Amino acid sequence: MLLNTKDILLTAQKEQYGVAAFNVYSLETLQAVIRVAEAENHPVIIALGERYFDMVDVEGFAALTKVLAGKSTVPIALHLDHAYQKESIIRAIDCGFTSVMYDGSKYDLEKNISYTKEIVKIAHMAGVSVEAEIGSVARGAFSDEEDGDGTLTDPQDAKKFVEETGVDFLAAAIGTVHGMYTGEPNINLALLEEIQQSVSIPLVLHGGSGTPEHVMKQAVEKGICKVNVNTEVSMATTSYLKQVLKEEETMHLSDVMAGMQQAIEPVIAKFIQVLKK
């Protein structure tokens, strides 16, 4: 069933569990996420980043996701991840995304508040929830995200930002990275606790890939309701393709696609299981 992302996260916040938001970019990744969510009987968020708009037909993707979500037995949301352009956000709203993320983290606080406030007004008129970000998540290895400077979220800035923009959930920068860590993760859970005490809305952790499982569990205990996952799924997919094409000189595309979906399902299951209560 397709639900508003805010409704899914408010339930997660109340019952103290996390929901994984998987970036998908193909039929196989979409089917794998939904199949595992049903097997685990746990909600999931299907995410599509603005950076994939050139390779994925947004309207077609939304239509496909809504059909599959409608057949599903678990709550599923459709989320626009890391959007920088108002036009992209309006396009996603028009074709049925249930939430959008406006990323104004590159701006100073006042500009971020001003731009985010405008997006919130537009989205809320359509019944769509909004995620935003304060601070900046740095880019690790194997990531296709833009490079952030790694500035951590200031709890008082978070309080001001939420009060003035009316966002529905907030991405908190606490030391995770987009992609895989190149050294020992340095994740500030004490800071997360301060942020949780400063705001009442659900919090989001970007950079789930490579983050130690015990850290994710502790993060959920301290207010994280949504964890973004992309790179680990991508790496599992490309590893499978490298191996199968090395072993098989000729292989039908349908078999490759089926095998690819099976290869990523354990990665998806790992995150869902870690975030379940």
Side-chain angles (χ1 to χ4, degrees):
M1 64 199 85
L2 186 69
L3 296 183
N4 191 295
T5 314
K6 179 180 178 179
D7 293 336
I8 289 177
L9 295 185
L10 286 176
T11 301
Q13 183 183 46
K14 180 181 178 181
E15 299 185 11
Q16 293 187 305
Y17 60 76
V19 180
F22 294 98
N23 261 267
V24 303
Y25 15 74
S26 70
L27 174 63
E28 294 75 36
T29 50
L30 174 59
Q31 289 182 155
V33 170
I34 294 176
R35 179 174 173 179
V36 175
E38 290 178 334
E40 295 292 336
N41 193 29
H42 197 71
V44 289
I45 298 166
I46 304 296
L48 180 71
E50 180 188 69
R51 63 196 175 282
Y52 299 128
F53 277 22
D54 288 341
M55 61 172 282
V56 177
D57 182 285
V58 180
E59 289 74 19
F61 173 81
L64 176 61
T65 302
K66 287 187 286 186
V67 168
L68 295 183
K71 295 166 59 179
S72 175
T73 57
V74 297
I76 294 173
L78 177 56
H79 177 70
L80 175 63
D81 190 28
H82 283 288
Y84 307 92
Q85 304 297 323
K86 182 166 67 174
E87 294 76 16
S88 300
I89 289 171
I90 292 172
R91 186 178 176 188
I93 290 171
D94 284 345
C95 63
F97 280 63
T98 64
S99 62
V100 296
M101 181 201 178
Y102 171 67
D103 187 348
S105 60
K106 66 181 179 181
Y107 300 110
D108 63 39
L109 181 63
E110 294 304 326
K111 282 188 177 180
N112 195 356
I113 288 173
S114 176
Y115 297 151
T116 303
K117 193 173 181 179
E118 179 184 6
I119 297 301
V120 169
K121 182 178 180 181
I122 293 169
H124 282 184
M125 287 176 62
V128 173
S129 49
V130 180
E131 175 184 339
E133 180 175 348
I134 307 185
S136 179
V137 178
R139 185 171 65 184
F142 309 112
S143 173
D144 64 351
E145 298 279 2
E146 291 187 2
D147 195 9
D149 62 14
T151 300
L152 301 184
T153 300
D154 180 276
Q156 292 309 308
D157 286 349
K159 184 176 187 296
K160 175 182 172 69
F161 185 88
V162 170
E163 288 176 349
E164 295 191 17
T165 62
V167 292
D168 300 290
F169 31 104
L170 181 71
I174 59 170
T176 55
V177 301
H178 285 130
M180 303 299 288
Y181 298 89
T182 55
E184 189 71 22
N186 183 19
I187 300 168
N188 194 333
L189 292 172
L191 174 61
L192 174 60
E193 196 163 14
E194 290 183 48
I195 297 167
Q196 182 194 28
Q197 292 168 357
S198 300
V199 303
S200 60
I201 61 174
L203 297 175
V204 178
L205 186 71
H206 284 222
S209 294
T211 299
E213 294 182 13
H214 72 279
V215 173
M216 282 193 282
K217 285 183 177 292
Q218 291 177 59
V220 170
E221 293 172 1
K222 299 179 186 299
I224 292 296
C225 300
K226 171 176 175 277
V227 176
N228 287 17
V229 182
N230 187 345
T231 304
E232 278 199 46
V233 174
S234 172
M235 292 175 66
T237 306
T238 54
S239 293
Y240 164 77
L241 291 174
K242 286 179 183 177
Q243 187 63 33
V244 74
L245 295 176
K246 179 180 178 181
E247 294 176 353
E248 301 286 345
E249 290 186 7
T250 59
M251 191 171 182
H252 198 277
L253 178 60
S254 61
D255 293 327
V256 175
M257 292 165 64
M260 184 172 70
Q261 180 172 323
Q262 292 175 1
I264 61 179
E265 287 179 2
V267 177
I268 294 166
K270 179 193 77 169
F271 281 97
I272 293 177
Q273 290 163 4
V274 167
L275 297 174
K276 287 173 75 171
K277 190 171 181 179

